[in-house]
Amino acid sequence: MNSPPLTDLSDRAREIFRLVVEGYLDSGAPVGSKALSGDARVNLSPASIRNVLADLEARGLLAAPHTSAGRMPTETGLRLFVDAMMQVAEPTREEREAIEQRLGEPGPIERALEETSALLSDLSGAAGMVMVPTREPRLAQVSLTALDAQRVLAVLVGEDGHIENRILAMPPDALGTSLEQASNYLTARSSGRTLAEAAGAMEKEIASGRSALDEASRDLVQRGIATWSEDATNRPVLIVRGQSNLLDEDALGDIERVRSLLDDLESKQSVATLLERARQADAMRIFIGSENRLFSLSGSSVIASPYRDREGRVVGVLGVIGPTRLNYARVVPMVDFTARSLGKRFG
């Protein structure tokens, strides 16, 4: 999306354009010449204002919905505003303290990730998204519990308190002592290692015949290794909260757009791929409407930022998704501060 340079606009055109965009982002309604003529910052007649609006429309920065005489920014206009005109409103001291307190509470890291997604939703009035760090925690313990005759619940506890639950297919004869033996073996071989490191070591030991496991326990351990390896490769771990915020009164007037957006959010692999672009860019990314193919039909915007550990390494991505009339000036610094606050939880 290529927007014209800001220098191509006269001072009065820039001022009117800014007022139209800010008015639209604030109310969600097109802004007309009558409203602009009543603004003390615009010292022009309604006729002159209409001429400026028509010029901005011809430049592709504004559009006139058929149901209104007012104007609203196009996606090109929003991009120009965000890149060249927006004045961000930094979070207040109270907001910063509330974010840090909420994310700094002790507990498993997955609780902080859940809190982050919910927090972003609350702050933006849209949906919050957090992509879980791609690096694996070092394990402290692995336990196995039979759920029924066909399934086993594996609980993986990280040294940092991170807990993950996985379901394994259960071999017919994996009962009682086999589960206990397999649990003890997994904990002994995985303690202090990542899951990938532990899996590699166990595969070698089992293949060499040095594992001292009975057949049922060995089968169960191998099933676990296979499941976890596939899971780490193929499953995007994405937490989305606040989808209900997308169903506001304005959205219900365009139910097809909302349905398209909710369908897109259900495709977590695709959403994770989009967020990965922010991770690779190593900086905040703002995708407006059709700039990203995933949300082009729903006309939604995404504000995404990587978050880093204490050593400055990018470990994940968080952000918000909502209508293109997001309050960018407020949400962008909120996302940035939240990313920095979450990063403090990672050593």
Side-chain angles (χ1 to χ4, degrees):
M1 179 184 301
N2 296 318
S3 55
L6 193 61
T7 53
D8 286 358
L9 302 179
S10 66
D11 290 343
R12 71 177 186 178
R14 282 199 295 268
E15 181 64 12
I16 289 176
F17 173 69
R18 182 178 64 80
L19 292 174
V20 170
V21 176
E22 290 178 347
Y24 171 74
L25 295 180
D26 182 59
S27 67
V31 178
S33 57
K34 183 176 180 180
L36 291 170
S37 64
D39 193 307
R41 293 167 292 184
V42 180
N43 188 22
L44 293 173
S45 67
S48 295
I49 292 173
R50 285 194 292 271
N51 289 336
V52 174
L53 293 175
D55 179 61
L56 292 169
E57 185 176 355
R59 292 172 178 265
L61 298 176
L62 300 180
H66 65 277
T67 56
S68 169
R71 303 301 202 284
M72 57 188 286
T74 61
E75 290 179 4
T76 301
L78 283 174
R79 172 52 64 188
L80 177 64
F81 176 79
V82 168
D83 288 347
M85 302 183 69
M86 181 175 70
Q87 296 180 335
V88 298
E90 295 294 334
T92 65
R93 185 184 67 179
E94 291 77 13
E95 289 170 333
R96 294 195 301 270
E97 290 176 349
I99 292 170
E100 290 180 332
Q101 179 180 0
R102 191 163 168 182
L103 299 186
E105 295 179 355
I109 194 64
E110 71 268 16
R111 184 184 303 168
L113 295 170
E114 292 272 1
E115 283 288 335
T116 300
S117 187
L119 179 63
L120 288 169
S121 175
D122 293 344
L123 292 172
S124 65
M129 304 183 292
V130 176
M131 192 161 68
V132 175
T134 54
R135 63 174 185 153
E136 295 182 274
R138 297 197 174 273
L139 297 172
Q141 182 181 354
V142 179
S143 63
L144 304 175
T145 304
L147 294 177
D148 52 39
Q150 285 80 39
R151 297 179 303 160
V152 168
L153 172 66
V155 180
L156 289 73
V157 182
E159 290 181 340
D160 60 355
H162 179 83
I163 299 174
E164 286 192 38
N165 299 322
R166 313 284 183 93
I167 303 295
L168 305 179
M170 187 172 174
D173 51 354
L175 301 174
T177 57
S178 296
L179 280 176
E180 183 179 357
Q181 186 185 47
S183 291
N184 293 338
Y185 178 81
L186 286 166
T187 293
R189 299 303 186 277
S190 61
S191 182
R193 292 169 165 168
T194 67
L195 192 55
E197 292 169 348
M202 286 185 285
E203 285 178 330
K204 289 181 180 178
E205 187 169 288
I206 290 174
S208 68
R210 294 183 288 109
S211 66
L213 292 170
D214 62 33
E215 184 177 350
S217 298
R218 185 170 60 252
D219 185 24
L220 186 55
V221 169
Q222 289 176 318
R223 286 170 184 257
I225 292 172
T227 299
W228 297 331
S229 297
E230 180 180 357
D231 184 72
T233 301
N234 297 328
R235 186 190 64 169
V237 184
L238 183 72
I239 302 170
V240 181
R241 295 290 180 271
Q243 292 98 318
S244 60
N245 287 337
L246 303 173
L247 301 175
D248 58 16
E249 185 174 340
D250 292 334
L252 294 178
D254 190 0
I255 197 65
E256 286 303 318
R257 183 186 68 81
V258 176
R259 182 179 292 112
S260 174
L261 174 56
L262 295 178
D263 287 345
D264 290 338
L265 287 176
E266 286 299 311
S267 177
K268 292 190 174 183
Q269 177 67 60
S270 298
V271 177
T273 300
L274 173 65
L275 294 184
E276 188 68 20
R277 290 171 61 185
R279 174 187 173 89
Q280 293 172 350
D282 211 33
M284 174 89 66
R285 293 292 302 272
I286 302 174
F287 303 95
I288 299 175
S290 59
E291 289 180 356
N292 71 85
R293 186 173 57 183
L294 174 60
F295 296 114
S296 60
L297 293 179
S298 61
S300 304
S301 288
V302 176
I303 300 172
S305 173
Y307 56 96
R308 308 168 187 272
D309 62 17
R310 295 181 184 273
E311 296 181 3
R313 295 172 298 192
V314 174
V315 293
V317 182
L318 56 78
V320 301
I321 177 171
T324 54
R325 66 176 186 86
L326 280 171
N327 187 341
Y328 299 92
R330 181 173 183 273
V331 175
V332 166
M334 282 288 191
V335 169
D336 178 65
F337 186 79
T338 303
R340 286 185 277 123
S341 298
L342 178 61
K344 296 176 182 178
R345 292 295 304 270
F346 295 87

